[in-house]
Amino acid sequence: MSHAQPLWRRAVAEALGTGLLVTVVIGSGIAAASLSPGDIGLQLLENAFATALGLAVLILMLGPVSGAHFNPAVSVIDWWLGQRTSSGLSLRDLAAYIPAQIGGGIAGAILANLMYGEAAVSWSTTDRSAGHLYIGETVATAGLILLIFALAWSGRAQLAPLAVGAYIGSAYWFTSSTSFANPAVTIGRAFSDTFAGIAPGSVPAFIAFQAFGAILGAALVIVLYPNAGQAADDVVTPTHTGASS
């Protein structure tokens, strides 16, 4: 497996992308709660719309550097499916991507808090511990993995910014959990006691069911898209193939 960009640069891109994604999620949630007080449906619409657009832009901006995973679940499945064909992330890549994503997510939450005059860290008090929410996270994460690898396997990874943004935007509404579908984003959202927050005590179970959803999504990829691991280098979107600067 070969990558156009050195690992340190790809890790920086993953930290920046995940961080800005969390900033978009939390920042738009704070803005929505302020602009539309008392109307939870409108707040969710505003939050989902901003997140869908923001995610698409971040994939376009940073995908050429790192592939724009911004999600430990995506990175782990990319590594796992690519092993048999020596494509996708190596174990060394994975060891750099995951801490970068988690650290970036936490920094992104702090940035959003500070932009809106909140305390840098305010632990969320929004409890999200319920069985139906765990089902929602399983469905959201499985669908995300299936979508990403379907695009890569079929040679349509260039559509990932639009498709992944659209999927997350719609999953805000069709899943009971509002589609976190991302362990790093889940951890980051615990650092903000705002509209988009999640209580720290709810985080472990959310991540566990995201992991289960990722495994389920990977199983569906194997069933529906044979040899999908051969396209792991194109997840989420192809990195730049020219000479590295």
Side-chain angles (χ1 to χ4, degrees), residues 33-63:
S34 175
L35 295 171
S36 307
D39 191 335
I40 300 298
L42 185 55
Q43 291 173 14
L44 186 62
L45 178 62
E46 292 161 347
N47 191 208
F49 182 70
T51 300
L53 293 183
L55 180 55
V57 168
L58 289 170
I59 294 172
L60 285 169
M61 181 168 61
L62 297 168

Side-chain angles (χ1 to χ4, degrees), residues 13-204:
E14 285 297 302
L16 181 61
T18 311
L20 290 177
L21 175 58
V22 173
T23 300
V24 169
V25 171
I26 293 177
S28 63
I30 295 172
S34 175
L35 295 171
S36 307
D39 191 335
I40 300 298
L42 185 55
Q43 291 173 14
L44 186 62
L45 178 62
E46 292 161 347
N47 191 208
F49 182 70
T51 300
L53 293 183
L55 180 55
V57 168
L58 289 170
I59 294 172
L60 285 169
M61 181 168 61
L62 297 168
V65 180
S66 68
H69 291 194
F70 310 153
N71 187 334
V74 171
S75 295
V76 169
I77 298 303
D78 182 69
W79 164 75
W80 183 62
L81 289 180
Q83 290 309 290
R84 288 181 294 178
T85 56
S86 296
S87 60
L89 296 183
S90 67
L91 194 58
R92 177 171 172 264
D93 294 335
L94 191 65
Y97 270 45
I98 292 178
Q101 291 159 350
I102 294 173
I106 294 170
I110 293 172
L111 176 59
N113 289 337
L114 292 175
M115 280 200 301
Y116 281 91
E118 306 284 344
V121 173
S122 57
W123 298 110
S124 176
T125 56
T126 303
D127 181 73
R128 299 181 188 266
S129 301
H132 67 283
L133 301 181
Y134 302 150
I135 295 173
E137 279 304 286
T138 300
V139 170
T141 311
L144 179 63
I145 295 297
L146 182 58
L147 168 64
I148 288 169
F149 278 90
L151 291 173
W153 182 87
S154 61
R156 297 175 295 161
Q158 296 291 356
L159 295 176
L162 174 63
V164 174
Y167 176 79
I168 293 298
S170 64
Y172 258 81
W173 289 90
F174 76 74
T175 66
S176 57
S177 63
T178 67
S179 183
F180 285 48
N182 185 328
V185 169
T186 303
I187 292 170
R189 288 169 70 163
F191 283 72
S192 183
D193 190 20
T194 57
F195 176 80
I198 176 173
S202 300
V203 168

